[in-house]
């Protein structure tokens, strides 16, 4: 076997662990080794220790070196995004990502670091970690046009210490606005979550829900979705699926013992109207959360569009509970610390002006 052939097979083997996340011990399994030998008798597979302690670290370093070359040769400047969060097992992390357009005008994103962050989340500690990461990648701070993060005071303090321009994450701002508005219907949402939890935990209840769907023409029964407390649109998806399976839920709850309390007719109406109110915010959240294209130029347009939509929907004949949610959404969009002053951002104004889609709209409307 030639060196090049062996190298190619080694690289293919490592992808099992890097991309498919297979356990290293598979390399020591007798039947797996026999299978590899059957495919190529002259290839001797490395053992688990060699793969994990030698080959993977070497490949990692090769990837780092190639990425440093990419950043040095292909990026004139770019933006950083950074975020801190705490995992379910109460471990804090920080991530830092660099985004730039290469010489072929392709948007690139490079994860510079994702670290466990055990220190106090002060502005000074955060700024030190970001600066150390930039130093590790040989990146000049002057190469950073903008840093996008949440609007927490500690990260804003850190970026001020680094003397870099910053912008709050618009998707996170939308998340806070909608979550705050949905507190007005917290009791109804909790009631729905209770029903969803019952169906997801009870195999008997879930079986009856599936049977009801298939008996009424569904080829593949759908599952109820549970929301995640940190993402408002997961609540939207939960409500939307809940409404989609309204007949199945109503028909099944009556057949269960110790079933949770179902929704009243008025509550079902509120859910239907809430879906209409929340749909534009869900579409906006998806639009500004894309990783395939830059979203700075659409923020002002989307912000104004959401305000206009809320003002129009308030005129609809919705129930008072839904009108209250709408009013809270509109208040949040107009609040000076949320989206109320977003049109004053010179950077976002430039981005919008330079987006030819909106220039075309402006020209056609003025003719």
């Amino acid at each position: 076997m030639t060196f090049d052939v062996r190298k190619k097979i080694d690289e293919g083997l490592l992808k099992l662990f890097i991309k498919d996340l297979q356990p290293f011990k598979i390399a020591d399994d007798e039947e797996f080794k026999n299978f590899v030998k059957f495919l190529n008798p002259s290839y001797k597979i490395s053992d688990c220790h060699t793969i994990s302690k030698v080959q993977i670290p070497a490949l990692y370093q090769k990837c780092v070196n190639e990425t440093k070359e990419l950043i040095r040769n292909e990026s004139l400047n770019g933006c950083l995004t950074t975020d801190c969060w705490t995992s379910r097992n109460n471990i804090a992390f920080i991530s830092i990502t660099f985004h730039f357009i290469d010489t072929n005008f392709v948007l690139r994103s490079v994860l510079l670091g994702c670290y466990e962050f055990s220190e106090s989340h002060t502005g000074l500690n955060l700024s030190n970690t970001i600066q150390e990461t930039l130093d590790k990648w040989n990146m000049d701070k002057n190469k950073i046009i903008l840093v996008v993060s949440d609007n927490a005071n500690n990260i804003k303090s850190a970026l001020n210490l680094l003397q870099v321009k910053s912008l709050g994450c618009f998707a996170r701002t939308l998340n806070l606005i909608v979550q705050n508005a949905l507190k007005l219907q917290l009791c109804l949402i909790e009631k729905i979550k209770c029903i969803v939890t019952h169906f997801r935990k009870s195999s008997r209840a879930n079986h009856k829900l599936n049977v009801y769907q298939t008996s009424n023409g569904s080829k593949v029964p759908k599952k109820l979705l549970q929301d995640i407390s940190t993402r408002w649109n997961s609540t939207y998806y939960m409500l939307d699926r809940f409404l989609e399976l309204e007949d199945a839920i109503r028909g099944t709850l009556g057949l269960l013992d110790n079933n949770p309390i179902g929704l009243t007719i008025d509550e079902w109406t509120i859910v239907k109207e809430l879906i209409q109110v929340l749909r534009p915010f869900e579409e906006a959240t998806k639009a500004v959360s894309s990783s395939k294209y830059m979203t700075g130029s659409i923020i002002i347009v989307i912000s104004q569009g959401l305000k206009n939509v809320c003002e129009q929907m308030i005129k609809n004949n919705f129930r008072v509970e839904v009108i209250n949610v709408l009013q809270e959404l509109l208040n949040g969009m107009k609040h000076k610390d949320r989206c109320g002053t977003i049109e004053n951002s010179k950077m976002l104004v430039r981005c919008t002006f330079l987006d030819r889609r909106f220039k075309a709209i402006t020209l056609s409307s003025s003719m």
Side-chain angles (χ1 to χ4, degrees):
M1 179 187 295
T2 65
F3 174 78
D4 288 342
V5 171
R6 178 174 180 82
K7 184 180 178 184
K8 229 173 204 182
I9 298 175
D10 282 342
E11 289 174 352
L13 175 67
L14 294 181
K15 287 180 181 178
L16 278 176
F17 314 110
I18 297 167
K19 295 196 172 183
D20 288 346
L21 303 180
Q22 297 294 331
F24 292 130
K25 71 178 186 65
I26 194 175
D28 291 338
D29 290 348
E30 201 60 40
E31 290 308 316
F32 183 73
K33 288 193 287 187
N34 289 336
F35 176 69
V36 172
K37 188 176 181 180
F38 176 78
L39 294 175
N40 192 328
S42 60
Y43 177 74
K44 185 179 179 182
I45 190 170
S46 302
D47 59 44
C48 170
H49 180 82
T50 302
I51 291 171
S52 62
K53 301 299 183 183
V54 179
Q55 293 179 328
I56 293 286
L59 187 61
Y60 168 78
Q61 194 55 52
K62 177 175 179 285
C63 180
V64 169
N65 294 337
E66 290 174 350
T67 306
K68 283 182 177 179
E69 284 291 314
L70 174 71
I71 292 174
R72 181 166 60 250
N73 298 329
E74 295 280 329
S75 67
L76 294 175
N77 43 47
C79 296
L80 287 182
T81 52
T82 183
D83 192 21
C84 295
W85 73 94
T86 302
S87 66
R88 289 181 179 179
N89 54 350
N90 209 31
I91 298 176
F93 292 90
I94 182 173
S95 67
I96 303 161
T97 307
F98 181 56
H99 311 269
F100 65 97
I101 297 175
D102 66 17
T103 52
N104 293 315
F105 219 72
V106 175
L107 179 63
R108 301 281 197 129
S109 295
V110 176
L111 178 65
L112 302 182
C114 183
Y115 317 110
E116 184 177 333
F117 197 76
S118 56
E119 299 178 71
S120 175
H121 289 198
T122 64
L124 180 60
N125 288 337
L126 291 169
S127 68
N128 288 338
T129 299
I130 296 172
Q131 185 61 63
E132 288 167 6
T133 301
L134 295 178
D135 294 341
K136 177 182 174 182
W137 286 86
N138 303 321
M139 289 180 62
D140 189 337
K141 190 171 60 179
N142 294 325
K143 200 171 191 172
I144 309 301
I145 297 175
L146 185 74
V147 181
V148 178
S149 67
D150 62 28
N151 291 316
N153 289 328
N154 56 353
I155 192 64
K156 286 200 286 189
S157 172
L159 299 177
N160 285 334
L161 289 171
L162 290 169
Q163 297 181 325
V164 292
K165 291 183 179 179
S166 63
L167 182 71
C169 174
F170 184 64
R172 179 174 174 79
T173 299
L174 282 182
N175 188 62
L176 294 174
I177 289 171
V178 181
Q179 282 189 329
N180 186 61
L182 287 178
K183 288 178 182 177
L184 296 176
Q185 286 300 314
L186 185 60
C187 291
L188 175 56
I189 292 171
E190 288 297 324
K191 188 174 182 180
I192 292 171
K193 287 172 67 173
C194 179
I195 296 172
V196 171
T197 300
H198 181 79
F199 278 103
R200 289 173 67 89
K201 287 189 174 182
S202 170
S203 57
R204 183 170 178 270
N206 187 60
H207 174 70
K208 286 186 176 294
L209 183 67
N210 290 340
V211 168
Y212 188 98
Q213 293 181 66
T214 53
S215 299
N216 286 273
S218 297
K219 293 182 179 179
V220 181
K222 294 184 177 180
K223 295 182 179 180
L224 290 171
L225 303 176
Q226 186 62 277
D227 73 345
I228 303 169
S229 60
T230 55
R231 296 187 181 274
W232 86 263
N233 50 348
S234 69
T235 304
Y236 170 84
Y237 299 136
M238 179 185 72
L239 296 177
D240 192 44
R241 178 60 59 82
F242 195 82
L243 186 60
E244 184 182 357
L245 299 180
E246 177 182 356
D247 291 340
I249 293 168
R250 284 177 146 182
T252 305
L253 282 177
L255 303 175
L256 300 176
D257 298 325
N258 301 318
N259 59 308
I261 299 173
L263 269 57
T264 65
I265 294 175
D266 286 345
E267 287 172 332
W268 279 109
T269 302
I270 291 172
V271 173
K272 291 173 185 175
E273 294 179 357
L274 273 178
I275 290 297
Q276 295 180 54
V277 167
L278 295 175
R279 186 170 291 117
F281 285 86
E282 189 269 337
E283 292 173 355
T285 299
K286 282 200 301 187
V288 299
S289 300
S290 173
S291 59
K292 301 297 183 182
Y293 55 84
M294 291 171 287
T295 58
S297 65
I298 65 175
I299 290 177
I300 290 177
V301 177
I302 285 179
S303 175
Q304 188 59 51
L306 288 174
K307 292 174 191 174
N308 293 341
V309 166
C310 287
E311 288 171 348
Q312 288 300 316
M313 285 198 292
I314 282 179
K315 300 174 185 178
N316 291 350
N317 190 28
F318 287 142
R319 295 184 62 88
V320 64
E321 294 91 342
V322 178
I323 293 295
N324 290 338
V325 171
L326 260 172
Q327 188 61 59
E328 194 61 34
L329 288 169
L330 186 57
N331 292 342
M333 293 301 300
K334 290 183 175 181
H335 196 284
K336 64 182 180 67
D337 292 333
R338 296 285 170 85
C339 297
T341 58
I342 208 165
E343 294 175 15
N344 296 336
S345 169
K346 292 181 180 179
M347 180 168 292
L348 292 180
V349 168
R350 291 192 192 103
C351 290
T352 308
F353 178 76
L354 292 172
D355 192 320
R356 61 182 183 179
R357 294 172 298 178
F358 306 129
K359 290 172 74 175
I361 292 172
T362 303
L363 288 172
S364 62
S365 62
S366 63
M367 293 175 66

